[in-house]
Amino acid sequence: MLELIAEGFAAALTPQNVLFALIGVVLGTVIGILPGLGSATGVALLLPLTAGLSPLTALIMLAGIYYGSQFGATVTAVLIGTPGEASSMMTALDGYPLARQGRGGPALAMGAIASFGSGVLTIPLLMLTAPSLSTVAMRFGPPETFALMLFALLSVSALGGRNTLKGLAMALVGVFLATIGIEHQTGQTRFTAGQIELLDGVGMVPVIIGVFAIAEVLRQVSLGGAEPIKTKFKDMLPTLDDWRVSRGPIARQGLLGFLIGVLPGAGAAVATFFGYSFERRKSKHSEEFGSGRMEGVVAAEAANNGAVNGSFVPTLTLGVPGSATTAILLAGFLIHGIRPGPLLMEQEPTLVWGLMASFFLGNVALLILNFPLAPAFASLLRLPYSYMYPVILLLSLSGAYAIRNSLFDVWVALIAGLAGYWMNRFEYPAAPLILGIILGDGVERTLGQTSAMGSGDLTILIQRPVSLTLLLAGLGTVVASQVWRYVKRPTKPTA
Amino acid sequence: MSARRYPVGELIACGLLALLGIAILIPSLDYGLLREGQRTGPGLVPFAVGVCLLLISVLIAGQALRSRSEQPNDSKPRHGPFLRASAILGLAGLGTFLSPRLGHFVGFFIAMTLMLVLLERKRFLPAIAFAALATGAAWLVFALLLNIPMPG
């Protein structure tokens, strides 16, 4: 195997491939910075640029675009509190408060390092375990996937805010939004109120843009407008303390993210939710999460990159994409005459190992380009907010339109912005809402499949050990969070 | 003088959640909870969501009533911030409304200029210059580089 890995690096590390990896990272970062245009859209938009390149060079450039767009989404999540895509949402929770405290530079730099560290850790895992992990992942049937999604919803609702009930309510609203449109199994239209635009469902990205970007603009403006950051350039570099607190979360969440990414349907967003919740629970300063802890940023970024690498396991070995972006990458593979699947590793070993080596190259290129640029990006916050928010609105609403070329989505973003403003005011957390939208479809689909497996009998969920464990863990998390809040509630002073 | 004040806003939010729950629950019954062979139907998940939302809204209302804050009864609600936020949302809506009529970037150029002049009290010419620069940059990226067919 070592020979194959060496062969892969030799194929990937040509001057031409390195150049295209760098170009891919730059283009991907530019696309990722635009709110709404996440990595999936970025890869789709830039896919035609790879036409005419040799298969390996094209795949290397695509990998660069992918990693670049992931980091671009981090930049907007940290600087303006607008996650470019769902997997950057947890980064925004602590990254944005850090940026408002004048620590946007360190947050971005540590985010880039977390991505790189996680990549260094998980790419060898991808190389070594891809064939064996893919068979394990395929044993994860509908009952287990349903239980995993329910566990994710319950744990994020319980741990994502100050009030478990409000978190659960938001997750339910998210699941409801996911049910709008045509139901896949029966073709039944639901909750469309005769609107043709709703047949495809409510777009997730416009809702994200609304409840994060627009709601944040409204909140800041109603508070009188955020003060411009006056931090010196040298203070925008990470401190030794930032490094110290970040090492553990990078290693832990890189690995956890990888394992979650391997599971078909789970995706990077779920991995970042789990990673963030895990570090928050583990931390001695858990109450400070959400108000600017560096561990929150690095946990989310490491989990994200780990999951991205994990999602390549089913993509490469089974031809089953683990996420929307890997589905588009899969299309890219097919354009260049490569058909991923069990035989790919045997038939095209140089290409597969070269591609895996190129993931490493993409991570290095990302770090080289973006680590020095982090303070420069963060300097954007020196602009007065009265000039910044109209630009944020323009870019956010243009992004909401661009995702499906639909003006309806722009109105959805505006309505979601108003809803997000009120949610913020009454402390209803946004993260469970988004997770509900992401997982709602999967929850319903896997529940239907589980029901079919058991001929209508859902007790199959508690007859299989993995699904039973996940369901109990989800319920346990909700109960434990309620008990913990009861124990920690402030006691009334005695007279 | 101070008295325990009812969390009116919280209760309205709970009421809206409960209404949403009912609005989900009723049509979901028409969609069918189960299909042939007792398999899950298209209405089952929305029905469960509606029921849970209704229950949770009652529980949150109960929580809100139990934790009524000690606040003076004579404290007046501040409408200024909300009006300002509404004005911004209204101008963003204006930009969206004008988008298919005048073109996306022209519509948002007008909305941005109005935000800067009316809400931020910037002088007219610098406001126009800044709005033109920002919308021009957005046009360059979205329309020219990415070739996205923007409305209008």
Side-chain angles (χ1 to χ4, degrees), chain A residues 14-198:
Chain A
T14 65
Q16 187 197 14
N17 289 344
V18 172
L19 178 69
F20 277 100
L22 289 171
I23 292 171
V25 166
V26 172
L27 290 175
T29 306
V30 171
I31 295 279
I33 282 175
L34 301 173
L37 301 187
S39 57
T41 318
V43 174
L45 282 168
L46 300 173
L47 193 57
L49 295 183
T50 63
L53 300 177
S54 72
L56 184 59
T57 310
L59 297 187
I60 285 172
M61 187 176 175
L62 281 174
I65 292 169
Y66 189 14
Y67 288 115
S69 59
Q70 293 270 343
F71 184 75
T74 305
V75 173
T76 47
V78 169
L79 295 189
I80 58 174
T82 306
E85 56 188 330
S87 57
S88 302
M89 196 159 56
M90 305 314 275
T91 306
L93 289 187
D94 280 277
Y96 182 62
L98 280 169
R100 297 293 353 152
Q101 293 158 21
R103 307 208 65 233
L108 284 176
M110 291 311 298
I113 289 165
S115 282
F116 176 75
S118 169
V120 168
L121 204 66
T122 55
I123 289 166
L125 272 182
L126 171 66
M127 292 171 158
L128 297 171
T129 60
S132 47
L133 274 181
S134 63
T135 52
V136 174
M138 287 313 283
R139 288 191 193 141
F140 224 72
E144 287 79 12
T145 310
F146 171 78
L148 176 73
M149 290 178 177
L150 210 59
F151 173 52
L153 279 174
L154 290 173
S155 58
V156 168
S157 305
L159 303 165
R162 288 181 188 163
N163 187 321
T164 303
L165 288 173
K166 288 182 175 177
L168 283 173
M170 286 296 97
L172 287 166
V173 174
V175 173
F176 159 65
L177 291 175
T179 64
I180 293 175
I182 297 176
E183 202 257 344
H184 299 305
Q185 294 186 25
T186 59
Q188 167 87 50
T189 55
R190 297 178 296 184
F191 308 108
T192 57
Q195 291 283 327
I196 295 168
E197 291 90 345
L198 284 176

Side-chain angles (χ1 to χ4, degrees), chain B residues 29-137:
Chain B
L29 291 169
D30 289 337
Y31 300 146
L33 302 186
L34 295 173
R35 285 190 286 155
E36 70 279 9
Q38 296 295 300
R39 287 162 60 191
T40 57
L44 186 72
V45 168
F47 179 79
V49 166
V51 170
C52 291
L53 266 181
L54 206 55
L55 285 175
I56 287 176
S57 62
V58 172
L59 292 173
I60 298 174
Q63 265 184 356
L65 285 172
R66 277 199 304 275
S67 61
R68 278 181 292 174
S69 57
E70 280 279 341
Q71 281 181 32
N73 244 350
D74 53 358
S75 65
K76 289 179 186 162
R78 289 167 61 235
H79 294 299
F82 177 65
L83 287 177
R84 197 169 151 75
S86 303
I88 287 170
L89 202 62
L91 286 173
L94 175 74
T96 310
F97 175 77
L98 293 176
S99 184
R101 289 160 181 84
L102 302 176
H104 183 77
F105 297 106
V106 176
F108 276 95
F109 165 74
I110 293 170
M112 276 182 87
T113 309
L114 290 174
M115 277 178 205
L116 291 169
V117 173
L118 299 179
L119 298 176
E120 302 304 329
R121 305 278 176 216
K122 305 286 181 203
R123 281 188 297 166
F124 195 63
L125 279 180
I128 281 190
F130 183 79
L133 192 73
T135 45

Side-chain angles (χ1 to χ4, degrees), chain A residues 281-336:
Chain A
R281 243 175 309 170
K282 194 176 176 304
S283 172
K284 289 174 187 164
H285 310 281
S286 58
E287 70 287 351
E288 291 173 19
F289 272 64
S291 54
R293 291 292 305 181
M294 191 60 82
E295 298 98 303
V297 175
V298 294
E301 285 300 302
N304 188 8
N305 206 16
V308 164
N309 292 329
S311 72
F312 279 109
V313 171
T315 309
L316 288 174
T317 57
L318 300 167
V320 177
S323 66
T325 316
T326 44
I328 296 164
L329 280 176
L330 194 62
F333 295 167
L334 294 173
I335 287 170
H336 291 282

Side-chain angles (χ1 to χ4, degrees), chain A residues 12 21 23 79 105 124 137 146 173 200 264 307 331-332 350 357 369 374 382 391 404 415 420 428 444 452 473 477:
Chain A
I23 292 171
L79 295 189
F146 171 78
V173 174
D200 280 342
T350 310
L369 282 175
R382 292 167 193 251
V391 179
R404 293 198 294 193
I415 293 167
Y428 283 83
E444 191 168 29
T477 309

Side-chain angles (χ1 to χ4, degrees), chain A residues 148-489:
Chain A
L148 176 73
M149 290 178 177
L150 210 59
F151 173 52
L153 279 174
L154 290 173
S155 58
V156 168
S157 305
L159 303 165
R162 288 181 188 163
N163 187 321
T164 303
L165 288 173
K166 288 182 175 177
L168 283 173
M170 286 296 97
L172 287 166
V173 174
V175 173
F176 159 65
L177 291 175
T179 64
I180 293 175
I182 297 176
E183 202 257 344
H184 299 305
Q185 294 186 25
T186 59
Q188 167 87 50
T189 55
R190 297 178 296 184
F191 308 108
T192 57
Q195 291 283 327
I196 295 168
E197 291 90 345
L198 284 176
L199 288 176
D200 280 342
V202 175
M204 179 184 65
V205 173
V207 178
I208 291 181
I209 285 176
V211 297
F212 280 95
I214 298 173
E216 179 58 24
V217 164
L218 298 180
R219 191 182 77 87
Q220 287 290 357
V221 168
S222 64
L223 292 173
E227 288 293 314
I229 305 301
K230 290 173 182 158
T231 321
K232 289 175 188 160
F233 195 81
K234 70 178 173 62
D235 295 330
M236 292 195 182
L237 296 169
T239 61
L240 277 177
D241 200 44
D242 292 329
W243 291 90
R244 190 181 55 74
V245 299
S246 299
R247 282 175 309 194
I250 291 173
R252 282 189 294 272
Q253 299 320 319
L255 290 173
L256 182 66
F258 180 82
L259 292 174
I260 294 174
V262 170
L263 302 173
V270 176
T272 58
F273 282 110
F274 272 121
Y276 184 88
S277 301
F278 182 96
E279 290 303 326
R280 182 179 172 172
R281 243 175 309 170
K282 194 176 176 304
S283 172
K284 289 174 187 164
H285 310 281
S286 58
E287 70 287 351
E288 291 173 19
F289 272 64
S291 54
R293 291 292 305 181
M294 191 60 82
E295 298 98 303
V297 175
V298 294
E301 285 300 302
N304 188 8
N305 206 16
V308 164
N309 292 329
S311 72
F312 279 109
V313 171
T315 309
L316 288 174
T317 57
L318 300 167
V320 177
S323 66
T325 316
T326 44
I328 296 164
L329 280 176
L330 194 62
F333 295 167
L334 294 173
I335 287 170
H336 291 282
I338 303 150
R339 186 168 291 278
L343 296 176
L344 181 68
M345 292 186 116
E346 285 176 28
Q347 289 170 348
E348 303 261 18
T350 310
L351 192 76
V352 173
W353 295 107
L355 177 67
M356 290 192 192
S358 76
F359 294 158
F360 189 80
L361 189 63
N363 274 285
V364 174
L366 189 70
L367 192 68
I368 289 170
L369 282 175
N370 286 318
F371 184 75
L373 285 177
F377 281 132
S379 298
L380 289 173
L381 293 181
R382 292 167 193 251
L383 263 177
Y385 200 71
S386 56
Y387 280 108
M388 265 185 73
Y389 81 79
V391 179
I392 294 171
L393 286 175
L394 169 71
L395 292 178
S396 300
L397 295 175
S398 301
Y401 175 84
I403 199 86
R404 293 198 294 193
N405 294 346
S406 162
L407 209 59
F408 183 79
D409 282 350
V410 182
W411 290 111
V412 168
L414 285 171
I415 293 167
L418 183 64
Y421 176 70
W422 283 101
M423 281 160 54
N424 196 300
R425 187 164 170 179
F426 293 109
E427 295 184 328
Y428 283 83
L433 173 83
I434 303 301
L435 192 64
I437 300 176
I438 296 169
L439 296 184
D441 184 51
V443 164
E444 191 168 29
R445 186 173 29 81
T446 51
L447 183 67
Q449 290 167 342
T450 305
S451 156
M453 277 174 76
S455 305
D457 182 11
L458 289 176
T459 54
I460 191 171
L461 283 166
I462 53 171
Q463 288 164 2
R464 294 164 70 117
V466 176
S467 59
L468 176 66
T469 309
L470 286 166
L471 288 176
L472 289 176
L475 288 174
T477 309
V478 173
V479 173
S481 73
Q482 286 295 83
V483 171
W484 181 244
R485 282 188 182 118
Y486 183 78
V487 171
K488 281 189 81 177
R489 77 192 192 288

